[in-house]
Amino acid sequence: MMMRAPRRRTSWRRAPRYAFLSVFALFSVFPLYFMLVSATNSTQDVLASRLTPGGHLLDNAAALVAQQDIGAAMTSSSVIAIGTTVLALAVCAVAGYGFEIYHSRGKDIVMAIIMLAMMIPFAAVMIPLFRLFARVGMVNSLGAVIIPAISTPLLILLFRQSSRSFPHEIIEAARIDGLGELSIFARIYVPTMKSTFAAAAVITFMTSWNNFLWPRVILLDNAVQTMPMLIANLTAGYVTDYGVLMLAVLLTSLPTILVFFILQRAFAQGITGAIK
């Protein structure tokens, strides 16, 4: 019996789907376009919702440099985001790996307690954290921003779920061959779970870079302010220069956009692997 070839869908039948996706894409991209265009316009042009590029980019850049120490803010944000990402990957990967690979009676209870920690709003622990870091003399220290963020329940859960697809037979074979536990983790687990590490890196970098509340509380000196704090300072005056403000927003957004586009394929694979 001959099998009937599947009927090819004509392009016109797909037109409504493409039209819907095109409209949705335009709505998604429009805020980025408006931010980019507004960075080249004056305040009057931004308030008038001008949608074409202007000639005030250099004026806005000069005003931004004159009003704020953007170099120091960019450095502080970079140190916090990169330091938090590296340390969080190291801590949460080991925790997720341990929760899935090793067997212990109490590990499910400990994991449940960690998950419950996700339900506690950060505002509830902010004051005790500030008093703790003030007591050890870490107010105005970038380390006080990094340390609370290096162990997050979300990343531990991500690594634990991804570790369920990791073949345990490889670990047993490596142990029989005499490989130590640290070597198994570093030489076998880490290269195999590259997509999970990429997904965790994107999440952690974007969260750390855009973090505003805790740095605003613990960093009292403007010399160590971050980029989100710099943007808030630009809106603190009686008159806001929206051209300068949009240029600062654009500069703040570029690192996260760059990291996401570099790791987007591995990010999607890592999230998909954790959900399976």
Side-chain angles (χ1 to χ4, degrees):
M1 183 177 179
M2 295 182 60
M3 299 293 292
R4 180 179 294 178
R7 182 183 296 176
R8 298 184 59 182
R9 295 183 178 180
T10 53
S11 58
W12 63 270
R13 288 184 176 179
R14 298 178 180 176
R17 183 187 306 175
Y18 291 151
F20 173 77
L21 293 176
S22 299
V23 172
F24 187 78
L26 286 176
F27 273 107
S28 301
V29 173
F30 179 76
L32 296 176
Y33 174 76
F34 185 73
M35 175 182 65
L36 179 63
V37 169
S38 298
T40 65
N41 288 322
S42 64
T43 296
Q44 291 75 19
D45 294 331
V46 176
L47 293 177
S49 300
R50 178 176 174 174
L51 298 179
T52 55
H56 297 272
L57 178 61
L58 296 180
D59 297 334
N60 293 336
L64 178 60
V65 172
Q67 295 177 24
Q68 300 289 333
D69 190 351
I70 191 167
M74 193 67 80
T75 301
S76 297
S77 289
S78 300
V79 171
I80 291 172
I82 295 173
T84 303
T85 302
V86 172
L87 294 175
L89 290 184
V91 172
C92 296
V94 171
Y97 174 83
F99 273 116
E100 182 58 30
I101 301 301
Y102 298 111
H103 299 285
S104 174
R105 289 183 179 180
K107 71 174 186 179
D108 289 335
I109 298 176
V110 175
M111 191 67 197
I113 294 174
I114 293 175
M115 291 299 101
L116 284 175
M118 295 178 63
M119 311 301 171
I120 302 175
F122 182 75
V125 299
M126 191 169 58
I127 294 177
L129 269 180
F130 181 84
R131 296 186 63 178
L132 174 65
F133 284 112
R135 182 168 297 182
V136 297
M138 293 186 67
V139 175
N140 287 326
S141 168
L142 299 184
V145 182
I146 296 174
I147 292 174
I150 62 176
S151 178
T152 60
L154 177 62
L155 287 192
I156 294 174
L157 180 63
L158 176 67
F159 277 105
R160 187 190 185 187
Q161 293 300 111
S162 299
S163 298
R164 291 184 173 174
S165 62
F166 185 73
H168 293 206
E169 296 80 6
I170 296 179
I171 298 176
E172 296 299 330
R175 288 171 179 166
I176 293 174
D177 290 340
L179 209 60
E181 297 299 320
L182 184 60
S183 297
I184 292 174
F185 178 83
R187 298 169 60 180
I188 299 177
Y189 179 79
V190 172
T192 306
M193 308 299 289
K194 285 190 294 186
S195 58
T196 304
F197 277 88
V202 171
I203 294 172
T204 309
F205 185 88
M206 295 178 70
T207 304
S208 302
W209 185 273
N210 295 322
N211 189 13
F212 172 74
L213 180 59
W214 178 237
R216 188 67 169 176
V217 171
I218 197 68
L219 301 178
L220 305 178
D221 192 349
N222 281 337
V224 290
Q225 68 176 348
T226 61
M227 289 300 293
M229 293 168 62
L230 182 145
I231 292 174
N233 290 338
L234 289 174
T235 61
Y238 292 104
V239 179
T240 301
D241 192 332
Y242 287 99
V244 175
L245 178 63
M246 297 306 288
L247 178 59
V249 173
L250 175 63
L251 294 176
T252 304
S253 304
L254 287 179
T256 55
I257 294 174
L258 183 63
V259 169
F260 180 77
F261 275 105
I262 291 175
L263 300 175
Q264 60 174 334
R265 179 170 297 180
F267 173 78
Q269 293 174 351
I271 295 296
T272 304
I275 294 175
K276 286 183 178 177

